[in-house]
Amino acid sequence: MNIFRLAGDMTHLMSIVVLLLKMHTIKSCAGISLKTQELYALVFITRYLDIFTDFVSLYNTVMKIFFLGTSISIVWYMRYHKVVKQSYDKDHDTFRHYFLILPCFLLALIINDEFTFREVLWTFSLYLEAVAIIPQLVLLQRTKNIDNLTGNYVFFLGAYRGLYILNWIYRYFTDSHYRRKGITWTSGIVQTLLYADFFYYYIRSWRRNERLNLPA
Amino acid sequence: TKVAAAKDEL
């Protein structure tokens, strides 16, 4: 494992820790999109179907369990926790997530490495992950006064994507068995580009020491 | 079992 991959995994982990911290200690999910969180839970469930059959490393298995467990519990917090669910901004989180799920599933049926149940769902999870952030970005644009934890959450998530691309580039040149298919490159890059606009405003507000506010 | 390259990532 190279440094980019490890740093990417750690920022991904950090983003989830930040989110759980917000919900568990502050008992708030203000500014967080339930749609995006449900999509991520679906991403992990469909991707890690191999968790009990294909062992890669203890690190991988532990991380998979972590991502599955946390993504499902975040959805639970937002839907059912007595206090947390009250801060959910339902009126602004209106993006229809099945508009993302259906095309991703159709694409996975058409473009995949192997037409098997697990392979199609694994490919589906890659496509869906690429676009799962969209409802969150839409909600951020509609939110006045984005709080620090929400801003940091999206920042860490974007950093994770950027670092994974560096990891792929690194592996492409150093690992002869490693050849990523064009479609996975594409979905990864699409996902990272989605954050570009957010990053611009995040860094600007940080440099000016201002509150993060996205233009409408 | 052998795991495809991209599948060793998260």
Side-chain angles (χ1 to χ4, degrees), chain A residues 145-161:
Chain A
N145 294 323
I146 300 160
D147 64 77
N148 281 332
L149 285 175
T150 306
N152 290 340
Y153 166 68
V154 180
F155 174 79
F156 278 126
L157 213 51
Y160 145 63
R161 293 313 311 173

Side-chain angles (χ1 to χ4, degrees), chain A residues 47-48 60 119 171 178 180, chain B residues 1 5-10:
Chain A
R47 183 174 305 167
Y48 298 154
N60 264 47
E119 195 61 28
R171 288 187 76 175
Y178 187 81
R180 219 158 220 278
Chain B
T1 39
K7 299 243 165 59
D8 65 5
E9 289 173 358
L10 298 161

